[in-house]
Amino acid sequence: MTSIYVASLTDYNAGRLHGKWIAVQGDAEAVYDEICGMLNSSPQGDAEEYAIHDSDGFGGIEIAENDSIEDLILIAEALDNFPAGVVEYFYEAVGAGRLSGKCQERYIQTTEFNVGPEEAVAEYALEHLTDQGTEGVPQLWQDHIEAVADSLAVHWINSQTVIPLYAGAGTYHLVWGN
């Protein structure tokens, strides 16, 4: 779950820490309501400004103290639907506004085997080739379909047609490149 620690700047400037961890989910209005509740409970009594001092669950995306709540909601929604490594990769390229659409358009699959990048892409290439069917393909070529998939994987990686994003422990998220 994505969450942010929001602090009252009035309290912070007075040398006091007053804030709250808030789940980033649903709509922005609900998050703003939580922030207003935190500000209203300030011992200072006149707290109006806030800053994000910490975050959790954003999959490696750096959250700044003044990021918009609307953007954080969009990032959280993308993280609900796609692997964190994919969301982080596309966030750097397109920002929050186009994030979910870009992930939907470009995410292929995740391989969860202890393999290298070429093997991860070759696994997808083999699925792609067999899904296309082998009707009309000479038997000699059909007998070597795995070698063709391996070759196609190397070509896709070198041409950045498919980009394997390493997620650790031999797991790769595959995304369409160019």
Side-chain angles (χ1 to χ4, degrees), residues 1-97:
M1 169 176 283
T2 52
S3 59
I4 52 176
Y5 184 81
V6 181
S8 159
L9 288 180
T10 303
D11 290 270
Y12 183 79
N13 291 333
R16 181 180 308 116
L17 183 59
H18 175 75
K20 178 180 181 180
W21 279 100
I22 299 172
V24 179
Q25 60 187 17
D27 62 4
E29 187 175 327
V31 176
Y32 282 122
D33 287 346
E34 291 281 331
I35 293 170
C36 286
M38 178 275 299
L39 290 172
N40 289 336
S41 69
S42 166
Q44 288 295 110
D46 59 348
E48 295 177 351
E49 295 182 88
Y50 68 90
I52 300 167
H53 283 190
D54 202 356
S55 63
D56 188 43
F58 282 90
I61 295 173
E62 293 290 325
I63 303 303
E65 69 177 18
N66 58 353
D67 279 345
S68 80
I69 300 302
E70 291 80 7
D71 283 355
L72 298 181
I73 293 289
L74 293 172
I75 295 167
E77 288 172 355
L79 287 165
D80 285 344
N81 296 306
F82 301 98
V86 172
V87 173
E88 180 181 12
Y89 179 78
F90 287 119
Y91 177 74
E92 292 173 10
V94 301

Coordinates of all heavy atoms in Angstrom, one line a residue, residues 1-97:
M1 N 0.8 -1.2 0.0 CA 0.0 0.0 0.0 C 0.9 1.2 0.0 O 1.9 1.3 0.7 CB -0.9 0.0 1.2 CG -1.6 1.3 1.4 SD -2.8 1.4 2.8 CE -4.1 0.5 2.0
T2 N 0.5 2.2 -0.8 CA 1.3 3.5 -0.8 C 0.8 4.4 0.3 O -0.4 4.5 0.5 CB 1.1 4.2 -2.2 OG1 -0.3 4.3 -2.5 CG2 1.7 3.4 -3.3
S3 N 1.7 5.1 0.9 CA 1.3 6.0 1.9 C 2.4 7.1 2.0 O 3.5 6.9 1.6 CB 1.2 5.3 3.3 OG 2.4 4.7 3.7
I4 N 2.0 8.3 2.6 CA 2.9 9.4 2.8 C 2.8 9.9 4.2 O 1.7 9.7 4.9 CB 2.5 10.6 1.8 CG1 1.0 10.9 1.9 CG2 2.9 10.2 0.4 CD1 0.6 12.1 1.1
Y5 N 3.9 10.4 4.7 CA 3.9 11.0 6.0 C 3.8 12.5 5.7 O 4.7 13.1 5.1 CB 5.1 10.7 6.8 CG 5.0 11.3 8.2 CD1 4.3 10.7 9.2 CD2 5.7 12.5 8.5 CE1 4.2 11.3 10.5 CE2 5.5 13.1 9.7 CZ 4.8 12.5 10.7 OH 4.7 13.1 12.0
V6 N 2.7 13.1 6.1 CA 2.5 14.5 5.9 C 2.6 15.3 7.2 O 2.1 14.9 8.3 CB 1.1 14.8 5.3 CG1 0.8 16.2 5.1 CG2 0.9 14.0 4.1
A7 N 3.5 16.3 7.2 CA 3.7 17.1 8.5 C 3.2 18.5 8.3 O 3.2 19.1 7.2 CB 5.2 17.1 8.7
S8 N 2.8 19.1 9.4 CA 2.4 20.5 9.5 C 3.7 21.3 9.5 O 4.6 21.2 10.4 CB 1.7 20.7 10.8 OG 1.7 22.1 11.2
L9 N 3.8 22.3 8.6 CA 4.9 23.2 8.5 C 4.9 24.2 9.6 O 6.0 24.6 10.1 CB 5.0 23.8 7.1 CG 5.4 22.9 6.0 CD1 5.4 23.7 4.7 CD2 6.7 22.3 6.2
T10 N 3.8 24.6 10.1 CA 3.7 25.5 11.2 C 4.4 24.9 12.4 O 5.2 25.5 13.1 CB 2.2 25.9 11.5 OG1 1.7 26.5 10.3 CG2 2.2 26.9 12.7
D11 N 4.0 23.6 12.7 CA 4.6 22.9 13.8 C 6.1 22.7 13.6 O 6.9 22.8 14.5 CB 3.9 21.6 14.1 CG 2.5 21.8 14.6 OD1 2.3 21.8 15.8 OD2 1.6 21.9 13.8
Y12 N 6.5 22.3 12.4 CA 7.9 22.0 12.1 C 8.7 23.3 12.3 O 9.8 23.2 12.9 CB 8.0 21.5 10.6 CG 9.3 21.2 10.2 CD1 9.9 19.9 10.5 CD2 10.1 22.1 9.4 CE1 11.2 19.6 10.1 CE2 11.4 21.7 9.0 CZ 11.9 20.5 9.4 OH 13.2 20.2 9.0
N13 N 8.2 24.4 11.9 CA 8.9 25.7 12.0 C 9.0 26.1 13.5 O 9.9 26.9 13.9 CB 8.3 26.8 11.2 CG 8.6 26.5 9.7 OD1 9.5 25.9 9.3 ND2 7.7 27.1 8.9
A14 N 8.1 25.6 14.3 CA 8.1 25.9 15.7 C 8.9 24.9 16.5 O 9.0 24.9 17.7 CB 6.6 25.9 16.3
G15 N 9.6 24.0 15.8 CA 10.5 23.0 16.4 C 9.7 21.8 17.0 O 10.3 21.0 17.8
R16 N 8.5 21.5 16.4 CA 7.7 20.4 16.9 C 7.4 19.5 15.7 O 7.1 20.1 14.6 CB 6.5 20.9 17.6 CG 5.5 19.9 18.1 CD 4.3 20.5 18.7 NE 4.6 21.5 19.7 CZ 4.3 22.8 19.6 NH1 3.6 23.2 18.6 NH2 4.6 23.7 20.5
L17 N 7.3 18.2 15.9 CA 6.9 17.4 14.8 C 5.5 17.0 15.0 O 5.1 16.4 16.0 CB 7.8 16.1 14.7 CG 7.5 15.1 13.6 CD1 7.6 15.8 12.2 CD2 8.4 13.9 13.7
H18 N 4.6 17.4 14.1 CA 3.2 17.0 14.1 C 2.8 16.6 12.7 O 2.9 17.4 11.8 CB 2.3 18.2 14.6 CG 0.9 17.9 14.5 ND1 0.2 17.1 15.4 CD2 -0.1 18.2 13.6 CE1 -1.0 17.0 15.1 NE2 -1.2 17.7 14.0
G19 N 2.4 15.3 12.6 CA 2.1 14.8 11.2 C 1.3 13.5 11.3 O 1.0 13.1 12.4
K20 N 1.2 12.9 10.2 CA 0.4 11.7 10.1 C 0.7 10.9 8.9 O 0.9 11.5 7.8 CB -1.1 12.1 10.1 CG -2.1 10.9 10.0 CD -3.5 11.4 10.0 CE -4.5 10.2 9.9 NZ -5.9 10.7 9.9
W21 N 0.8 9.6 9.0 CA 0.9 8.7 7.8 C -0.5 8.6 7.2 O -1.5 8.3 7.9 CB 1.3 7.3 8.2 CG 2.8 7.2 8.4 CD1 3.5 7.3 9.6 CD2 3.8 7.1 7.3 NE1 4.9 7.2 9.3 CE2 5.1 7.1 7.9 CE3 3.7 7.0 5.9 CZ2 6.2 7.0 7.2 CZ3 4.9 7.0 5.2 CH2 6.1 7.0 5.8
I22 N -0.6 8.8 5.9 CA -1.9 8.8 5.2 C -1.8 7.9 4.0 O -0.8 7.9 3.2 CB -2.2 10.2 4.7 CG1 -2.4 11.2 5.9 CG2 -3.5 10.2 3.9 CD1 -2.6 12.6 5.6
A23 N -2.7 7.0 3.9 CA -2.8 6.0 2.8 C -3.1 6.9 1.5 O -4.1 7.7 1.5 CB -3.8 4.9 3.0
V24 N -2.4 6.6 0.4 CA -2.7 7.3 -0.8 C -3.5 6.3 -1.7 O -2.9 5.4 -2.3 CB -1.4 7.7 -1.6 CG1 -1.7 8.3 -2.9 CG2 -0.6 8.6 -0.7
Q25 N -4.8 6.4 -1.6 CA -5.7 5.5 -2.4 C -7.0 6.3 -2.6 O -7.3 7.3 -1.9 CB -5.9 4.2 -1.6 CG -6.5 4.4 -0.3 CD -6.5 3.1 0.5 OE1 -5.9 2.1 0.2 NE2 -7.4 3.1 1.5
G26 N -7.8 5.8 -3.5 CA -9.1 6.4 -3.7 C -8.9 7.6 -4.6 O -8.3 7.7 -5.6
D27 N -9.5 8.7 -4.0 CA -9.4 10.0 -4.8 C -8.6 11.0 -3.9 O -8.5 10.9 -2.7 CB -10.8 10.5 -5.2 CG -11.7 10.8 -4.0 OD1 -11.2 10.7 -2.8 OD2 -12.9 11.2 -4.2
A28 N -8.2 12.1 -4.6 CA -7.4 13.1 -4.0 C -8.2 13.8 -2.8 O -7.6 14.1 -1.8 CB -6.9 14.1 -5.0
E29 N -9.5 13.9 -3.0 CA -10.2 14.6 -2.0 C -10.2 13.9 -0.6 O -10.1 14.6 0.4 CB -11.7 14.7 -2.4 CG -12.6 15.6 -1.5 CD -14.0 15.8 -2.0 OE1 -14.2 15.9 -3.2 OE2 -14.9 15.9 -1.2
A30 N -10.2 12.6 -0.7 CA -10.1 11.8 0.6 C -8.7 12.0 1.2 O -8.7 12.2 2.5 CB -10.3 10.3 0.3
V31 N -7.7 12.1 0.5 CA -6.4 12.4 1.0 C -6.3 13.8 1.6 O -5.8 14.0 2.7 CB -5.3 12.1 -0.1 CG1 -3.9 12.5 0.5 CG2 -5.3 10.7 -0.5
Y32 N -6.8 14.8 0.8 CA -6.8 16.1 1.3 C -7.6 16.2 2.6 O -7.3 17.0 3.5 CB -7.4 17.1 0.3 CG -6.4 17.4 -0.8 CD1 -6.7 17.2 -2.1 CD2 -5.2 18.1 -0.5 CE1 -5.8 17.5 -3.2 CE2 -4.3 18.4 -1.5 CZ -4.6 18.1 -2.8 OH -3.8 18.4 -3.8
D33 N -8.7 15.5 2.7 CA -9.5 15.5 4.0 C -8.6 15.0 5.2 O -8.7 15.6 6.3 CB -10.7 14.6 3.9 CG -11.8 15.2 3.0 OD1 -11.7 16.5 2.7 OD2 -12.8 14.5 2.6
E34 N -7.8 14.0 4.9 CA -6.9 13.5 6.0 C -5.9 14.5 6.3 O -5.6 14.7 7.5 CB -6.2 12.2 5.5 CG -7.2 11.0 5.4 CD -7.5 10.3 6.7 OE1 -6.6 10.4 7.6 OE2 -8.5 9.8 6.8
I35 N -5.4 15.2 5.3 CA -4.4 16.2 5.6 C -5.0 17.4 6.4 O -4.4 17.8 7.4 CB -3.8 16.8 4.3 CG1 -2.9 15.7 3.6 CG2 -2.9 18.0 4.5 CD1 -2.5 16.0 2.2
C36 N -6.2 17.8 6.0 CA -6.9 18.9 6.8 C -7.1 18.4 8.2 O -7.0 19.2 9.1 CB -8.2 19.2 6.1 SG -7.9 20.2 4.6
G37 N -7.5 17.2 8.4 CA -7.7 16.7 9.8 C -6.5 16.7 10.6 O -6.5 17.1 11.8
M38 N -5.3 16.4 10.0 CA -4.1 16.5 10.7 C -3.7 17.9 11.0 O -3.3 18.2 12.1 CB -3.0 15.8 9.8 CG -1.6 15.9 10.4 SD -0.6 17.4 10.1 CE -0.5 17.5 8.3
L39 N -3.9 18.8 10.1 CA -3.6 20.2 10.3 C -4.5 20.8 11.4 O -4.1 21.6 12.3 CB -3.8 21.0 9.0 CG -2.7 20.8 8.0 CD1 -3.1 21.5 6.7 CD2 -1.3 21.2 8.4
N40 N -5.8 20.4 11.4 CA -6.7 20.9 12.4 C -6.4 20.4 13.8 O -6.8 21.1 14.8 CB -8.2 20.5 12.0 CG -8.7 21.3 10.8 OD1 -8.2 22.4 10.5 ND2 -9.6 20.7 10.1
S41 N -5.7 19.3 13.9 CA -5.4 18.8 15.2 C -4.1 19.3 15.7 O -3.6 18.8 16.7 CB -5.4 17.2 15.2 OG -4.3 16.7 14.4
S42 N -3.5 20.2 15.0 CA -2.2 20.8 15.4 C -2.2 21.5 16.7 O -3.1 22.3 17.0 CB -1.7 21.7 14.3 OG -0.6 22.5 14.8
P43 N -1.2 21.3 17.6 CA -1.2 22.0 18.8 C -1.0 23.5 18.6 O -1.3 24.3 19.5 CB 0.1 21.4 19.5 CG 0.4 20.2 18.9 CD -0.2 20.3 17.5
Q44 N -0.5 23.9 17.4 CA -0.3 25.3 17.1 C -1.6 26.0 16.9 O -1.7 27.2 17.1 CB 0.6 25.5 15.9 CG 2.1 25.1 16.1 CD 2.8 26.1 17.0 OE1 3.1 25.7 18.1 NE2 3.0 27.3 16.6
G45 N -2.6 25.3 16.5 CA -3.9 25.9 16.3 C -4.1 26.7 15.0 O -5.2 26.8 14.5
D46 N -3.0 27.1 14.4 CA -3.2 27.9 13.1 C -2.4 27.3 11.9 O -2.1 27.9 11.0 CB -2.6 29.3 13.3 CG -1.2 29.4 13.7 OD1 -0.6 28.3 14.1 OD2 -0.6 30.5 13.7
A47 N -2.3 26.0 12.0 CA -1.5 25.3 10.9 C -2.4 25.2 9.7 O -3.5 24.9 9.6 CB -1.3 23.8 11.4
E48 N -1.7 25.7 8.6 CA -2.4 25.7 7.3 C -1.6 25.0 6.2 O -2.1 24.6 5.2 CB -2.7 27.1 6.9 CG -3.6 27.9 7.7 CD -3.8 29.3 7.3 OE1 -3.1 29.8 6.5 OE2 -4.7 29.9 7.9
E49 N -0.3 25.0 6.3 CA 0.6 24.4 5.3 C 1.2 23.1 5.7 O 1.4 22.8 6.9 CB 1.8 25.4 5.0 CG 1.3 26.7 4.4 CD 2.5 27.6 4.1 OE1 3.0 27.5 3.0 OE2 2.9 28.4 5.0
Y50 N 1.4 22.3 4.7 CA 2.0 20.9 5.0 C 3.1 20.6 4.0 O 3.2 21.3 3.0 CB 0.9 19.9 4.9 CG 0.3 19.7 3.5 CD1 0.9 18.7 2.7 CD2 -0.7 20.4 3.0 CE1 0.4 18.5 1.4 CE2 -1.2 20.2 1.7 CZ -0.6 19.3 0.9 OH -1.1 19.1 -0.4
A51 N 3.8 19.6 4.3 CA 4.8 19.0 3.4 C 4.9 17.5 3.6 O 4.6 17.0 4.7 CB 6.2 19.7 3.7
I52 N 5.2 16.9 2.5 CA 5.4 15.4 2.6 C 6.8 15.2 3.1 O 7.8 15.6 2.4 CB 5.1 14.8 1.2 CG1 3.7 15.1 0.7 CG2 5.4 13.3 1.2 CD1 3.5 14.8 -0.7
H53 N 7.0 14.5 4.2 CA 8.3 14.3 4.8 C 8.8 12.8 4.5 O 10.0 12.6 4.7 CB 8.3 14.6 6.2 CG 8.4 16.0 6.5 ND1 8.6 16.5 7.8 CD2 8.2 17.1 5.7 CE1 8.6 17.9 7.8 NE2 8.4 18.2 6.5
D54 N 7.9 11.9 4.2 CA 8.3 10.5 3.9 C 7.3 9.9 3.1 O 6.1 10.3 3.0 CB 8.5 9.8 5.3 CG 9.4 8.6 5.2 OD1 9.9 8.3 4.1 OD2 9.7 8.0 6.2
S55 N 7.7 8.7 2.5 CA 6.7 8.0 1.8 C 7.1 6.5 1.8 O 8.2 6.1 2.2 CB 6.7 8.4 0.3 OG 8.0 8.2 -0.3
D56 N 6.1 5.6 1.5 CA 6.3 4.2 1.6 C 5.4 3.5 0.5 O 4.3 4.0 0.3 CB 5.9 3.6 3.0 CG 6.3 2.2 3.1 OD1 7.4 1.8 2.7 OD2 5.4 1.4 3.6
G57 N 6.0 2.5 -0.2 CA 5.3 1.8 -1.1 C 5.2 2.3 -2.5 O 4.4 1.9 -3.3
F58 N 6.1 3.3 -2.8 CA 6.0 3.9 -4.2 C 7.0 3.3 -5.1 O 7.4 3.9 -6.2 CB 6.2 5.4 -4.1 CG 5.0 6.1 -3.6 CD1 4.7 6.4 -2.3 CD2 4.1 6.6 -4.6 CE1 3.6 7.0 -1.9 CE2 2.9 7.2 -4.2 CZ 2.7 7.5 -2.8
G59 N 7.5 2.1 -4.8 CA 8.3 1.3 -5.7 C 9.6 2.0 -6.3 O 9.9 1.9 -7.4
G60 N 10.3 2.7 -5.4 CA 11.5 3.3 -5.9 C 11.3 4.7 -6.5 O 12.3 5.4 -6.7
I61 N 10.1 5.2 -6.6 CA 9.9 6.5 -7.1 C 10.1 7.5 -5.9 O 9.5 7.3 -4.9 CB 8.5 6.7 -7.7 CG1 8.3 5.8 -8.9 CG2 8.1 8.1 -8.0 CD1 6.9 5.7 -9.5
E62 N 10.9 8.5 -6.2 CA 11.2 9.5 -5.1 C 10.0 10.5 -5.1 O 9.7 11.1 -6.0 CB 12.5 10.3 -5.5 CG 13.8 9.4 -5.4 CD 14.1 9.0 -4.0 OE1 13.9 9.8 -3.1 OE2 14.6 7.9 -3.8
I63 N 9.5 10.6 -3.9 CA 8.4 11.5 -3.6 C 9.0 12.8 -3.0 O 9.7 12.7 -1.9 CB 7.3 10.9 -2.7 CG1 6.8 9.5 -3.3 CG2 6.2 11.8 -2.5 CD1 6.3 9.7 -4.7
A64 N 8.7 13.9 -3.6 CA 9.2 15.2 -3.0 C 8.2 15.8 -2.1 O 7.0 15.4 -2.1 CB 9.4 16.2 -4.2
E65 N 8.6 16.7 -1.3 CA 7.8 17.3 -0.2 C 6.6 18.0 -0.7 O 5.6 18.2 -0.1 CB 8.6 18.1 0.8 CG 9.1 19.4 0.2 CD 9.8 20.2 1.2 OE1 10.2 19.7 2.3 OE2 10.0 21.4 1.0
N66 N 6.7 18.5 -2.0 CA 5.6 19.3 -2.6 C 4.9 18.6 -3.8 O 4.2 19.3 -4.5 CB 6.1 20.7 -2.9 CG 7.2 20.6 -3.9 OD1 7.7 19.6 -4.2 ND2 7.7 21.8 -4.4
D67 N 5.1 17.3 -3.9 CA 4.4 16.6 -5.0 C 2.9 16.7 -4.8 O 2.4 16.7 -3.7 CB 4.8 15.1 -5.1 CG 6.1 14.9 -5.8 OD1 6.6 15.8 -6.5 OD2 6.7 13.8 -5.7
S68 N 2.2 16.8 -6.0 CA 0.8 17.0 -5.9 C 0.1 15.7 -5.5 O 0.5 14.6 -5.9 CB 0.2 17.5 -7.2 OG 0.1 16.4 -8.1
I69 N -0.9 15.8 -4.7 CA -1.7 14.6 -4.2 C -2.3 13.9 -5.4 O -2.3 12.7 -5.5 CB -2.7 15.0 -3.2 CG1 -2.1 15.7 -2.0 CG2 -3.6 13.8 -2.8 CD1 -1.1 14.8 -1.2
E70 N -2.7 14.7 -6.4 CA -3.3 14.1 -7.6 C -2.3 13.2 -8.3 O -2.7 12.1 -8.8 CB -3.8 15.2 -8.6 CG -5.0 16.0 -8.0 CD -4.7 17.0 -7.0 OE1 -3.5 17.3 -6.8 OE2 -5.7 17.6 -6.4
D71 N -1.1 13.7 -8.4 CA 0.0 12.8 -9.1 C 0.2 11.6 -8.2 O 0.4 10.5 -8.8 CB 1.3 13.6 -9.2 CG 1.2 14.6 -10.4 OD1 0.2 14.6 -11.1 OD2 2.2 15.4 -10.5
L72 N 0.3 11.7 -6.9 CA 0.5 10.6 -6.1 C -0.6 9.5 -6.2 O -0.3 8.3 -6.2 CB 0.7 11.0 -4.6 CG 1.8 11.9 -4.3 CD1 1.9 12.2 -2.8 CD2 3.1 11.3 -4.8
I73 N -1.8 10.0 -6.4 CA -3.0 9.0 -6.6 C -2.7 8.3 -7.9 O -2.9 7.1 -8.0 CB -4.3 9.8 -6.6 CG1 -4.6 10.4 -5.3 CG2 -5.4 8.9 -7.2 CD1 -5.0 9.4 -4.2
L74 N -2.3 9.0 -9.0 CA -2.1 8.4 -10.3 C -0.9 7.3 -10.2 O -1.0 6.3 -10.8 CB -1.7 9.4 -11.3 CG -2.9 10.4 -11.7 CD1 -2.4 11.5 -12.6 CD2 -4.0 9.6 -12.4
I75 N 0.1 7.7 -9.5 CA 1.2 6.7 -9.3 C 0.7 5.5 -8.5 O 1.0 4.3 -8.9 CB 2.4 7.4 -8.6 CG1 3.0 8.5 -9.4 CG2 3.5 6.3 -8.2 CD1 4.0 9.4 -8.7
A76 N 0.0 5.7 -7.5 CA -0.6 4.6 -6.7 C -1.5 3.7 -7.5 O -1.4 2.5 -7.4 CB -1.3 5.1 -5.4
E77 N -2.3 4.3 -8.3 CA -3.2 3.5 -9.2 C -2.3 2.6 -10.2 O -2.7 1.5 -10.4 CB -4.1 4.4 -10.0 CG -5.2 5.0 -9.1 CD -6.1 6.0 -9.9 OE1 -5.7 6.4 -11.0 OE2 -7.0 6.5 -9.2
A78 N -1.3 3.2 -10.7 CA -0.4 2.4 -11.6 C 0.3 1.3 -10.9 O 0.4 0.2 -11.4 CB 0.6 3.3 -12.3
L79 N 0.7 1.6 -9.6 CA 1.3 0.5 -8.8 C 0.4 -0.6 -8.4 O 0.8 -1.7 -8.2 CB 2.0 1.1 -7.6 CG 3.2 1.9 -7.8 CD1 3.6 2.8 -6.6 CD2 4.4 1.0 -8.2
D80 N -0.9 -0.3 -8.4 CA -1.9 -1.3 -8.1 C -2.1 -2.3 -9.3 O -2.5 -3.4 -9.1 CB -3.3 -0.7 -7.8 CG -3.4 -0.1 -6.4 OD1 -2.5 -0.4 -5.6 OD2 -4.3 0.7 -6.2
N81 N -1.7 -1.8 -10.5 CA -2.0 -2.6 -11.7 C -0.7 -3.2 -12.4 O -0.8 -4.1 -13.2 CB -2.8 -1.8 -12.7 CG -4.1 -1.4 -12.2 OD1 -4.9 -2.3 -11.8 ND2 -4.4 -0.1 -12.1
F82 N 0.4 -2.6 -12.1 CA 1.7 -3.0 -12.7 C 2.8 -3.2 -11.7 O 2.8 -2.6 -10.7 CB 2.1 -2.0 -13.8 CG 1.0 -1.8 -14.8 CD1 0.1 -0.7 -14.7 CD2 0.9 -2.7 -15.9 CE1 -0.9 -0.5 -15.7 CE2 -0.1 -2.5 -16.8 CZ -1.0 -1.4 -16.7
P83 N 3.8 -4.0 -12.1 CA 5.0 -4.2 -11.2 C 5.7 -2.8 -11.0 O 5.7 -2.0 -11.8 CB 5.9 -5.1 -12.0 CG 5.0 -5.8 -12.9 CD 3.9 -4.9 -13.3
A84 N 6.2 -2.7 -9.8 CA 6.8 -1.4 -9.4 C 8.0 -1.0 -10.3 O 8.1 0.2 -10.6 CB 7.4 -1.5 -7.9
G85 N 8.8 -2.0 -10.8 CA 9.9 -1.7 -11.7 C 9.4 -1.1 -13.0 O 10.0 -0.2 -13.6
V86 N 8.3 -1.6 -13.5 CA 7.7 -1.0 -14.7 C 7.2 0.4 -14.5 O 7.4 1.3 -15.3 CB 6.6 -2.0 -15.2 CG1 5.8 -1.4 -16.4 CG2 7.1 -3.3 -15.6
V87 N 6.5 0.6 -13.4 CA 5.9 1.9 -13.1 C 7.1 2.9 -12.9 O 7.0 4.0 -13.5 CB 5.0 1.9 -11.8 CG1 4.6 3.3 -11.4 CG2 3.8 1.0 -12.1
E88 N 8.1 2.5 -12.2 CA 9.2 3.4 -12.0 C 9.9 3.8 -13.4 O 10.2 4.9 -13.6 CB 10.3 2.8 -11.1 CG 11.5 3.7 -10.8 CD 12.5 3.0 -9.9 OE1 12.4 1.8 -9.6 OE2 13.4 3.8 -9.5
Y89 N 10.1 2.8 -14.2 CA 10.7 3.0 -15.5 C 9.9 4.0 -16.4 O 10.5 4.9 -16.9 CB 10.8 1.6 -16.2 CG 11.4 1.7 -17.6 CD1 12.8 1.8 -17.8 CD2 10.6 1.6 -18.7 CE1 13.4 1.9 -19.0 CE2 11.2 1.7 -20.0 CZ 12.5 1.8 -20.1 OH 13.1 1.9 -21.4
F90 N 8.6 3.8 -16.4 CA 7.9 4.7 -17.3 C 7.6 6.1 -16.6 O 7.4 7.1 -17.3 CB 6.6 4.1 -17.7 CG 6.8 3.0 -18.8 CD1 6.5 1.7 -18.5 CD2 7.4 3.3 -20.0 CE1 6.7 0.7 -19.5 CE2 7.6 2.3 -20.9 CZ 7.3 1.0 -20.7
Y91 N 7.5 6.1 -15.3 CA 7.3 7.4 -14.6 C 8.5 8.4 -15.0 O 8.2 9.5 -15.2 CB 7.3 7.2 -13.1 CG 7.1 8.5 -12.3 CD1 5.9 9.2 -12.3 CD2 8.2 9.0 -11.6 CE1 5.8 10.4 -11.6 CE2 8.1 10.2 -10.9 CZ 6.9 10.9 -10.9 OH 6.8 12.0 -10.2
E92 N 9.7 7.9 -15.0 CA 10.8 8.7 -15.4 C 10.7 9.3 -16.8 O 11.1 10.4 -17.0 CB 12.1 7.9 -15.3 CG 12.5 7.5 -13.8 CD 13.7 6.6 -13.7 OE1 14.4 6.4 -14.8 OE2 13.9 6.1 -12.6
A93 N 10.0 8.6 -17.6 CA 9.8 9.0 -19.0 C 8.6 9.9 -19.3 O 8.7 10.9 -20.0 CB 9.8 7.8 -20.0
V94 N 7.5 9.6 -18.6 CA 6.3 10.3 -18.9 C 5.6 11.1 -17.8 O 4.6 11.8 -18.0 CB 5.2 9.4 -19.6 CG1 5.8 8.8 -20.9 CG2 4.8 8.3 -18.6
G95 N 6.1 10.9 -16.6 CA 5.4 11.5 -15.4 C 4.1 10.8 -15.0 O 3.8 9.8 -15.6
A96 N 3.4 11.4 -14.1 CA 2.2 10.8 -13.5 C 1.0 10.8 -14.4 O 0.2 9.8 -14.5 CB 1.8 11.4 -12.2
G97 N 0.8 11.8 -15.2 CA -0.4 12.0 -16.0 C -0.6 10.9 -17.1 O -1.7 10.5 -17.3

